[in-house]
Structure formats: structure tokens, C-alpha cells
Amino acid sequence: MIAGVALLGFLAWSWWQSRLPGRYDVMSYGAVDQGGAQPIAHHHFGVDSLTGPKGKPDYRVTLTAEKAPVRLSSGQEVDAWTFDGSAPGPELRVRKGELVQVTLVNKDIDDGVTIHWHGLDVPNAEDGVAGVTQNAVEPGGRYVYRFRPEQVGTFWYHTHQDASEGVKEGLFGALVVEAKSQRPGLDLALPVHTFAGHTAIGTHDDVARRAVRPGTPVRLRLINTDSASARFQLSGMRPAVVAIDGAEIPPARIPAGEPIEIGGGGRYDVAFVMPNGVASVEIENSKAALVLSPDGTGEPSEAPSGPVFDPATRGQPTPLLHGAHFDRTFDLTISKKPGFLDGRPGRHWALNGKLYPRVPMFEVAKGDLVRINLDNDSSSVHPMHLHGHHFDVLTRDGKAVSPWSTDTLLMLPHERYSVAFRANNPGLWMLHCHNLGHAADGLTMHLMYAGVTTPFRAGKSANNDPE
Ligand code: C2O
Ligand code: CU
């Protein structure tokens, strides 16, 4: 009896404790983890001071968020939240080093909208996270983003206000940064998204066909905008993976029959020379496919799929940064834990045993070489995304890998990874799972530079939802 009352009391207390105020500072919750280094003496600076460059933009565009029906190629119509009336939104192609200026206008998305430049390491105030780096833009409002991309590759943009809802509804688009001199050939950005149960490449939820002259160099930029992983089966050509998450790798031939698996938020660029026949890309478990052929006809091959292409074993494993001195080393374990998340009972995602927002916040100083040991202590897949930085993958399950640089690391159940990055972009940055449903259920935390503060507030009455 007394034990029962004590348990009830404990549950009531836990429930009460878990409730988030209507307006709160994301920095006032999680305990700060210093990663094994001494506390840092610092001056204070606000994220709103970390803006992009001034001056006359080389590239400027306005994106208007609005509700609109979107028609898929099968004829299916879906009610979407769009940029400029289309989902995916307009493809943005900019050049390395250009000053880019994007004005976001919100016409009628009541929940508010922002734009996050997924994978581009922009200055913090341009990062587009509601309640962390800006306020969500409400209907009738606008926000101007300015940055100078120095990375060449495949990225995407999407809302970061209640992203699990907004991205699903269609608030995203492809973003390509081209080198100063562009390669010849066919270059296609292919954002994949599931609209109300219909998986589509762009808006093609069935077979898209295109005539391509044999011998043409082709580059396909595969972008997974869904929360679940997507598998791409490539047939009829000799493809190689040439970039992962906007960073080039030495071309890695994809063995025949091996599908590519891309986690939520991830991108792979594949390149090949157009054969004298049908080359196709199919998305497994869907009707969506792209068929390239000399005369623009043909069918996807429906080849059975073999084992999945593994980015970690593209060649000789290379022990990267072996013996390096890390200024800070953090451990991050992902697991499930029963408890209350903002008053909701259930088994939620926990980071180092803590539920959001009381999760650890990693503190670094500018210039630090930082290592994170990630441990997926769960039976789910987690594409872990760090804002504002790319990390180098050092080991998987304790063994050296063929290194690559990534912003969205796909972690399979019970995998452990060690990654490292140079802390060279001051601010307050999110580190979260890009299965956006997981992020909304607590799989989210922050990386903070010593001394950073934010004037923005998360919470329902602040109308800012960083997830
Ligand atoms: Cu693509 Cu924090 O997101
Ligand atoms: Cu996850």
C-alpha cells in the first residue's frame, strides 16, 4: 500500500517534471557535457550575431510557402504544403563561392515555416531551426537567408519548424552547389519522397522516361527526403558512387545487383556513362522508377536485389586520425526508455539515458578536434544528422573503415561508430535523428560552442518547434 502510493507519487512527479513550459530556452535543460576537457573561460555571443556575409547577392530567389494540390505522374492528386506551389519545391542550383540570398515568405502555413539547408555548413543564424536560430515565420511573415556555399555537391532544403509534419507535407526541395566550371553531360537531382503513401522521384510515382544519347556522362543525385531508408536498384549501366552527403569520394563501383541504401536525409551521387540500351533506377517497394534509353522508351529491369552497397568497405580500410589528439571525446548512446516526454507517457528515445530536452549538450570550443562515439543500443535504424559540420567516419564496431565525410550517418541496429570533426563553425547546432518521427519523440540534442546563447525560445506559446 505504501509502496503503491510512493510509486504513484513518483509517477505523478515524473509526469509533472517532464512537461515543457510554453516557452523555454533549449539551453536551459540538458546538462552540459564537456567531453573530458576543462571548462572553458569565454565571452558570450548570441546566435543571431552569426549571420552570413553582407554585400550584393550573386544569386537571389524568393520561396513562398503555401498550401497547394500536387499532381503526381500517375494522376494521383495530394494536398501538400509547398514552396512556390510545387512539392518538391524549386530545385536550387548555385555555384560555389556565390553569395546566395533566399527570401522565405509564408503565405498560409498556419504552423509556421523555416528553411534549413541540410548538409550546407552555413553560418549559424542562417541555419533555419525554429526556436534555436530564428523564430518560425508565421503567415504573412518573411525571413532572409544569406550564405556563401564553399562545398560542392548535393544538398537539400526543408522546413525545420515541426519538421516531422512540414517535411512530410512537402516543404522541401533539392539544392545543388556546382563547381565554378560545370562538368558536361546529364546531371539530375532526384529527390525521393512519399506523398500520402505514394513514393515518387520528384513527382513521378510511376515510370519516368528520358532519351539520352549513348556515351553521355550521367550524374544522378539521389536524395532521400523521407524518414525511412530508401533502396535504389540501378541496372543496365556500370555505376559508381562518386559522392556521399555532398562530399566527393574516390569513385566506388557498385557491383551488379547491389542496391544503394540511403537513410533519411542522406544523399548519394552516382555516375556512369550512358550505355547503348536501357539504364534504370528503381526504388524498392514502390512503382517509382527512372528509365534512361537512347530513344526514351523501355521498362525498368526489376532485377532481384543482392546485398546492399556498403560505404564502409569500399576498399582498403584506412585508419584515419590514428593516434590523433582529440580535444574532446563524447559518448552518445541511443536507447529507448519508459517515461514521460512533455507529459506523454510511453517508451521514448533516450540519449545517454535522458529524455528530451534534458539530454546532454555537447560543449566545444572553436578549433577543437572532436570525437563522438555513437552507440545505437536499439533495434531501430537511425540516420544521425549533425548541423553545421561534416564528420569523418573513423570506425564501425571498433574497426577502421574506408573513410568518408558525412552529415547524416546511417546507423543500423546495434551498430557503433566513431566519428570526428573540427569545431570550426561557432553556434548552437542540432544533432538529431533524421527519422523525423524519432526526432519528434526525443532523439534530438545540441552541440554548443562555449559562450553561445540564443535569444529564441522553443515551446508552444513561442510557436517554435525545433523538431
Ligand atoms: Cu535535415 Cu535538422 O535536419
Ligand atoms: Cu532514429
Side-chain angles (χ1 to χ4, degrees), residues 316-390:
Q316 275 308 311
T318 313
L320 208 63
L321 294 173
H322 191 72
H325 167 75
F326 295 99
D327 299 292
R328 284 158 207 278
T329 297
F330 298 99
D331 294 319
L332 182 54
T333 300
I334 302 164
S335 63
K336 274 215 150 170
K337 186 180 160 184
F340 296 93
L341 190 77
D342 194 11
R344 283 182 290 126
R347 294 187 74 230
H348 301 290
W349 293 108
L351 294 173
N352 289 347
K354 298 278 193 313
L355 298 179
Y356 187 84
R358 290 173 186 79
V359 297
M361 185 165 312
F362 292 165
E363 186 178 41
V364 300
K366 191 171 180 208
D368 284 348
L369 183 60
V370 181
R371 177 169 57 188
I372 305 179
N373 300 319
L374 293 152
D375 181 355
N376 179 4
D377 186 18
S378 81
S379 46
S380 300
V381 163
H382 303 292
M384 294 301 292
H385 174 47
L386 173 62
H387 286 214
H389 305 74
H390 274 68

Side-chain angles (χ1 to χ4, degrees), residues 64-70 80-87 89 109 169-171:
T64 302
E66 57 183 308
K67 293 180 186 153
V70 167
W81 295 356
T82 73
F83 285 113
D84 290 2
S86 66
I109 305 298
E169 294 291 329
L171 288 170

